[in-house]
């Protein structure tokens, strides 16, 4: 999990603005995921990608968009259509060998 | 859709006692069951996992049991210590990097001194 970076750690935005969260990995893992975590809650899947140029919606994709142009990168855009964007966002990757999932350090987004 | 239920949502045990967290899953094709520990403000960390071809796995003070017939699995922590205090998540998935991992809602474990 040390090979997954998310930046920035804290992000503040005004309501109505789009914001892009970065996720980069050097683990050479094919699969990448974005989760949202609200205080005291579990992990909810936003989007996931198995290979470059391909991604699937998770359980709460509305108001979010992603791209997967490179194997190493899977940025998440939180659009103004997302009604309650304030949350802790976690990026993860998954190996093709043991199938373990590794998490990045997360980005805490606050929208006011 | 696929679902994982986790109980209890909070658990408080005396230091040195054992803690047990239980999960049930709905997708009968699930064959990979990881457990994650998340400390406050930090990322989830994998602590143990089990595949459907075994019924039990142990790693020092942590053990996981799986009952595929009943579709439930449990995490057992023995001789609990203060550093075990955290939120624990169970999850279920098909054994494929292309599959989603479905998480339980989490258990907040507190260890009383």
């Amino acid at each position: 999990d040390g090979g997954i970076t998310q930046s920035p750690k804290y992000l503040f935005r005004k309501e109505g603005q789009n914001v892009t969260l970065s996720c980069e990995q050097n683990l050479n893992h094919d699969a990448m995921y974005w989760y949202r975590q609200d205080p005291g809650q579990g992990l909810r899947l936003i989007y996931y990608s198995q290979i470059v140029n391909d991604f699937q919606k998770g359980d709460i994709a509305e108001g979010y968009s992603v791209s997967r142009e490179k194997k190493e990168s899977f940025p998440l855009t939180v659009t103004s259509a997302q009604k309650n964007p304030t949350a802790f966002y976690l990026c993860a990757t998954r190996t093709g060998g043991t199938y373990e999932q590794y998490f990045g350090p997360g980005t805490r987004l606050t929208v006011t | 859709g696929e679902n994982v239920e986790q109980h209890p949502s909070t658990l408080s045990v005396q230091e040195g006692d054992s803690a047990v967290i239980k999960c049930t899953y709905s997708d009968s094709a699930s064959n990979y069951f990881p457990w994650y520990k998340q400390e406050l403000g930090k990322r989830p960390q994998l602590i143990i996992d089990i595949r459907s071809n075994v019924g039990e796995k142990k790693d020092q003070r942590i053990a996981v049991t799986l009952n595929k017939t009943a579709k439930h699995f449990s995490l057992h922590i023995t001789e609990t210590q203060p550093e075990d205090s955290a939120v624990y998540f169970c999850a279920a998935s098909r054994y494929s990097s292309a599959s989603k991992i479905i998480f339980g809602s989490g258990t907040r474990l507190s260890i009383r001194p």
Side-chain angles (χ1 to χ4, degrees), chain B residues 66-85:
Chain B
L66 171 66
N67 183 329
K68 282 218 75 178
T69 303
K71 292 195 286 187
H72 67 71
F73 56 113
S74 301
L75 178 72
H76 304 253
I77 305 174
T78 59
E79 301 173 10
T80 53
Q81 300 170 3
E83 54 265 36
D84 294 330
S85 293

Side-chain angles (χ1 to χ4, degrees), chain B residues 25-89:
Chain B
Y25 60 97
S26 60
D27 182 6
S28 56
S30 295
N31 50 17
Y32 175 67
F33 306 92
W35 286 87
Y36 291 84
K37 175 183 180 181
Q38 186 179 29
E39 297 177 351
L40 190 61
K42 297 190 176 180
R43 75 188 85 184
Q45 300 266 20
L46 179 71
I47 55 172
I48 195 168
D49 57 15
I50 190 169
R51 303 180 200 175
S52 60
N53 58 347
V54 298
E56 184 173 0
K57 184 177 178 180
K58 190 173 182 180
D59 183 4
Q60 299 182 4
R61 296 185 297 108
I62 294 174
V64 58
T65 58
L66 171 66
N67 183 329
K68 282 218 75 178
T69 303
K71 292 195 286 187
H72 67 71
F73 56 113
S74 301
L75 178 72
H76 304 253
I77 305 174
T78 59
E79 301 173 10
T80 53
Q81 300 170 3
E83 54 265 36
D84 294 330
S85 293
V87 177
Y88 291 80
F89 293 98

Side-chain angles (χ1 to χ4, degrees), chain A residues 12-60:
Chain A
F12 299 89
R13 281 291 183 271
K14 294 291 187 183
E15 193 173 319
Q17 293 179 337
N18 290 355
V19 59
T20 297
L21 280 58
S22 167
C23 178
E24 302 283 331
Q25 57 112 350
N26 62 5
L27 301 171
N28 199 35
H29 291 170
D30 287 314
M32 297 186 73
Y33 304 76
W34 273 106
Y35 293 92
R36 168 181 173 142
Q37 188 175 34
D38 293 286
Q41 302 296 314
L43 302 168
R44 292 188 290 169
L45 182 64
I46 305 172
Y47 269 98
Y48 65 111
S49 169
Q50 302 168 25
I51 57 173
V52 174
N53 294 322
D54 185 58
F55 47 83
Q56 289 79 41
K57 292 182 179 180
D59 302 317
I60 57 165

